[in-house]
């Protein structure tokens, strides 16, 4: 596909007015958020929204998240994007108000019935629209200066790892967008939780806030969406199996407690991303592979913050494969990390090192 070339500027975090002016003029500006950088276009400008799909090489079947500031939420602006049903007495009103009070600005995206301003392009012709208020001061300033919402999918080429720094945005989209507003590294590092409130509340994409917490906030059960087996149409197209993936093949390994003592890695040039600090159980691997540790100190939030940048760095080095020890099961970010690593491995089975080689768990 040939993508129109643009001169990409790096704006400092203070240049929020310039970012808003570029957006108003139909430009594409990557904006920082607490989760990952988003590629923004003014929600009022269909041509700019088309250009977002082109720059990302994103299929039209994948709907966009609308990003608002608090000042926009509940105003006519939001009401035109979301069906007025919830703003008055719709079944969603209580839940939206509870989530908005508890989670926004923050890493939560809420899927609601669409309003007249949510175009078919934004919603991928579906009946709903996804909205969130991101927790990044510079981006909230841009939204307030713009006076309206933006669409902002993650600022990566389709199917690849989301960028968590301005440099990573430029690696993905330099020459395809007008600017990136450099707001520093993202503080959370994995994409927002997506919850639908259309029909039964359900988490469509795990993130920092998990279903248990969301259920407590809305006072009703929240289901977790079963992972789709293939790229067939489903509730949230971003849940495609192969998503958030580096070019290098990712192979998930079971937690080291299950390894056969002395099991060695295959022959080749491999990177080995272990979860906690290497110990004697993994020494054949840590001595044979380029070894990095995602969570050396038990700090899960730090692991989430580092994951995508680490995978990007390892991807650059062109290893034969990237072995990753799966994080333990757990709430919140642990679920999100396991989800992203599963997708990065295209849902291939988790393997266990044995003296007979790598075998499915
Ligand atoms: O943290 C985030 O959410 C980041 C930052 C930039 O805000 N954005 C992000 O956008 O991850 P994107 O487009 O890469 O992922 C959006 C996800 C996709 O899985 C998409 O299918 C889903 O949200 N989505 C968007 N609109 C939807 C809708 N109306 N119904 C169901 N899922 C929707
Ligand atoms: Mg994305």
């Amino acid at each position: 596909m040939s993508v129109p070339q643009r001169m990409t500027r790096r704006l400092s975090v203070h240049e929020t007015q310039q970012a808003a002016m570029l957006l108003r003029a139909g430009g594409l500006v990557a904006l920082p958020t607490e989760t990952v950088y988003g590629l923004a276009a003014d929600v009022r400008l269909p041509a700019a929204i088309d250009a977002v799909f082109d720059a990302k090489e994103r299929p039209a079947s994948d709907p966009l998240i609308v990003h608002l500031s608090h000042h926009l939420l509940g105003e006519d602006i939001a009401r035109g994007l979301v069906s007025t049903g919830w703003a008055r007495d719709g079944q969603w009103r209580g839940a939206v108000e509870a989530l908005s009070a508890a989670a926004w600005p923050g890493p939560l995206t809420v899927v609601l019935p669409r309003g007249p301003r949510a175009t078919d392009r934004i919603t991928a012709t579906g009946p709903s629209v996804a909205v969130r208020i991101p927790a990044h001061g510079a981006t909230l300033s841009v939204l307030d200066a713009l006076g309206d919402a933006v669409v902002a999918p993650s600022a990566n080429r389709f199917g690849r790892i989301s960028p968590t720094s301005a440099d990573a945005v430029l690696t993905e989209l330099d020459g395809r967008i007008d600017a990136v507003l450099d707001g520093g590294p993202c503080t959370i590092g994995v994409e927002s939780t997506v919850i639908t409130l259309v029909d039964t509340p359900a988490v469509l994409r795990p993130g920092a806030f998990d279903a248990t917490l969301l259920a407590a906030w809305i006072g009703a059960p929240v289901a977790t969406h079963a992972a789709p087996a293939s790229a067939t149409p489903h509730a949230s197209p971003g849940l495609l199996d192969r998503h958030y993936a580096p070019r290098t093949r990712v192979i998930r390994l079971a937690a080291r407690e299950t390894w056969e003592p002395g099991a060695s890695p295959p022959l080749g040039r491999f990177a080995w991303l272990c979860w906690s600090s290497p110990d004697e159980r993994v020494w054949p691997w840590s001595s044979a592979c380029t070894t990095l540790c995602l969570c050396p100190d038990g700090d899960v939030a730090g692991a989430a913050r580092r994951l995508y940048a680490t995978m990007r760095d390892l991807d650059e080095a062109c290893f034969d494969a990237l072995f990753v020890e799966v994080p333990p099961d757990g709430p919140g970010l642990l679920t999100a990390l396991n989800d992203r690593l599963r997708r990065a491995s295209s849902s291939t089975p988790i393997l266990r090192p044995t003296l007979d080689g790598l075998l499915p768990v």
Side-chain angles (χ1 to χ4, degrees):
M1 180 199 275
S2 92
V3 177
Q5 287 299 298
R6 298 169 189 238
M7 245 271 291
T8 306
R9 294 166 58 190
R10 184 196 285 262
L11 301 176
S12 86
V13 72
H14 306 294
E15 293 181 284
T16 53
Q17 293 288 340
Q18 286 87 332
M21 277 165 50
L22 282 169
L23 288 166
R24 193 67 197 103
L28 304 185
V29 181
L31 297 176
T33 82
E34 78 285 27
T35 57
V36 301
Y37 276 69
L39 179 58
D42 188 319
V43 81
R44 295 164 287 191
L45 303 176
I49 295 174
D50 286 347
V52 166
F53 282 90
D54 291 345
K56 277 181 60 80
E57 300 177 40
R58 181 180 176 108
S61 56
D62 202 351
L64 303 172
I65 298 177
V66 169
H67 291 60
L68 303 163
S69 83
H70 258 309
H71 296 113
L72 304 177
L73 184 74
E75 302 291 322
D76 288 342
I77 292 161
R79 291 214 188 102
L81 289 164
V82 175
S83 158
T84 48
W86 75 265
R88 289 198 296 272
D89 51 5
Q91 60 179 308
W92 307 279
R93 180 181 173 163
V96 172
E97 283 178 353
L99 291 178
S100 150
W104 283 344
L108 183 70
T109 295
V110 183
V111 175
L112 292 164
R114 72 191 265 193
R117 289 213 304 142
T119 60
D120 273 349
R121 196 69 158 131
I122 295 173
T123 65
T125 71
S128 60
V129 64
V131 294
R132 98 174 184 97
I133 301 182
H136 195 294
T139 289
L140 293 175
S141 299
V142 172
L143 291 169
D144 286 336
L146 186 64
D148 209 325
V150 294
V151 295
S154 53
N156 50 280
R157 298 193 198 183
F158 184 70
R160 304 229 331 114
I161 305 170
S162 299
T164 52
S165 66
D167 284 342
V169 170
L170 292 173
T171 304
E172 291 285 324
L173 298 174
D174 194 15
R176 294 177 173 219
I177 63 176
D178 297 289
V180 53
L181 183 69
D182 188 346
C186 299
T187 52
I188 292 183
V190 293
E191 303 80 356
S192 60
T193 305
V194 179
I195 182 177
T196 177
L197 295 180
V198 182
D199 303 325
T200 321
V203 169
L204 302 178
R205 178 176 71 183
F209 297 139
D210 61 28
T212 309
L213 187 59
L214 297 172
W217 282 339
I218 67 173
V222 174
T224 45
H225 190 278
S230 66
T232 49
H234 40 67
S236 193
L239 295 172
L240 287 181
D241 260 2
R242 183 162 173 80
H243 216 109
Y244 314 106
R247 279 175 293 254
T248 312
R249 191 154 69 105
V250 173
I251 298 171
R252 288 178 301 161
L253 297 183
R256 63 190 67 167
E257 290 73 31
T258 67
W259 295 22
E260 252 176 46
S264 309
L267 288 177
R269 216 182 130 259
F270 298 115
W272 155 233
L273 188 54
C274 52
W275 177 250
S276 52
S277 301
D279 56 32
E280 70 282 359
R281 276 169 300 190
V282 297
W283 75 260
W285 289 71
S286 46
S287 60
C289 307
T290 298
T291 302
L292 291 176
C293 184
L294 207 49
C295 191
D297 42 12
D299 173 14
V300 177
R305 214 163 32 237
R306 282 188 291 273
L307 175 69
Y308 287 161
T310 305
M311 283 173 66
R312 271 180 191 282
D313 288 347
L314 293 173
D315 209 15
E316 288 298 302
C318 298
F319 289 101
D320 296 338
L322 165 56
F323 289 106
V324 186
E325 181 181 22
V326 291
D329 285 333
L333 283 170
L334 284 172
T335 305
L337 286 169
N338 271 298
D339 171 78
R340 302 307 190 276
L341 290 172
R342 179 176 62 73
R343 293 177 204 289
S345 75
S346 303
S347 289
T348 51
I350 297 177
L351 302 178
R352 180 174 81 93
T354 73
L355 296 175
D356 298 322
L358 294 174
L359 298 177
V361 175

